[in-house]
Amino acid sequence: MKAIWVLGILALSACSSATAAGRLEIRLQNRQAAHTATAGASVSVTMANAGDQPIELPASYVPDVDKGGVLQTNLFKVLQEDGSPVDYRGIYVHNVRGSTPSLVLKSGQSIVRTINLSLSYQIMPGRNYSVGVHPLIRYREQQESKSKTTSADMTSLKTATSNIIEITPR
């Protein structure tokens, strides 16, 4: 009987350590409702670690804009009402792997960016669009020992999850 109890404790501890992982969730929110006077299609992007371990997010996957508000890379999947993709007009900045540090998000930590999609995508006022994040956004659980992995190791990347929102620019 004691052996079954010990095995049960070991099984429970193995399950709890298996669920201890970092998890990147990306939440999009339409910002037009809050700023009715603002023209364009602004969205708020929240990137949060919903897991219980720190994660590393390559800097190239964090939405960044130049001084004019134009995106530095095509991170969003913007579709017209008929399902066809909207052309990206922003900038493609390619950082050499390891040249920019990864962003580390601890458990429960998040970052928020507001992006005017009209400056980087061919969006027309009065039309309906759906916006999501490209499925290429990936992250890595932060390793306890940095000697085991480097930020340039791409084999351990996981895919982030995102919601899809509807926007209608004015």
Side-chain angles (χ1 to χ4, degrees):
M1 189 67 164
K2 207 177 218 186
I4 294 173
W5 184 77
V6 171
L7 287 174
I9 296 280
L10 289 175
L12 284 175
S13 66
C15 289
S16 68
S17 66
T19 60
R23 189 175 73 245
L24 178 64
E25 290 182 353
I26 302 171
R27 182 95 181 133
L28 302 175
Q29 184 178 14
N30 189 341
R31 299 308 301 169
Q32 283 184 268
H35 302 33
T36 54
T38 305
S42 293
V43 296
S44 174
V45 182
T46 303
M47 301 178 111
N49 181 354
D52 44 6
Q53 294 293 321
I55 59 172
E56 290 181 56
L57 180 63
S60 58
Y61 293 151
V62 178
D64 191 22
V65 295
D66 66 6
K67 291 179 183 178
V70 177
L71 275 169
Q72 299 294 297
T73 191
N74 185 10
L75 293 176
F76 299 97
K77 185 176 183 179
V78 182
L79 300 175
Q80 297 181 51
E81 289 176 304
D82 64 1
S84 61
V86 175
D87 290 336
Y88 175 69
R89 303 180 304 185
I91 303 168
Y92 286 99
V93 175
H94 178 72
N95 295 321
V96 176
R97 194 178 292 167
S99 66
T100 55
S102 294
L103 176 67
V104 176
L105 291 176
K106 296 178 181 168
S107 177
Q109 188 178 12
S110 64
I111 58 169
V112 179
R113 302 278 196 270
T114 300
I115 308 292
N116 184 345
L117 296 175
S118 300
L119 299 175
S120 300
Y121 295 89
Q122 195 166 355
I123 293 177
M124 305 299 288
R127 295 186 183 171
N128 295 322
Y129 299 91
S130 66
V131 179
V133 173
H134 275 297
L136 61 87
I137 296 187
R138 309 222 189 279
Y139 66 96
R140 164 184 19 273
E141 291 179 23
Q142 190 177 31
Q143 301 295 320
E144 292 177 18
S145 170
K146 288 297 239 179
S147 62
K148 291 182 182 176
T149 184
T150 65
S151 59
D153 177 23
M154 300 302 275
T155 59
S156 61
L157 293 178
K158 297 181 177 185
T159 304
T161 59
S162 167
N163 65 322
I164 297 174
I165 62 170
E166 300 292 324
I167 59 171
T168 306
R170 296 183 213 315

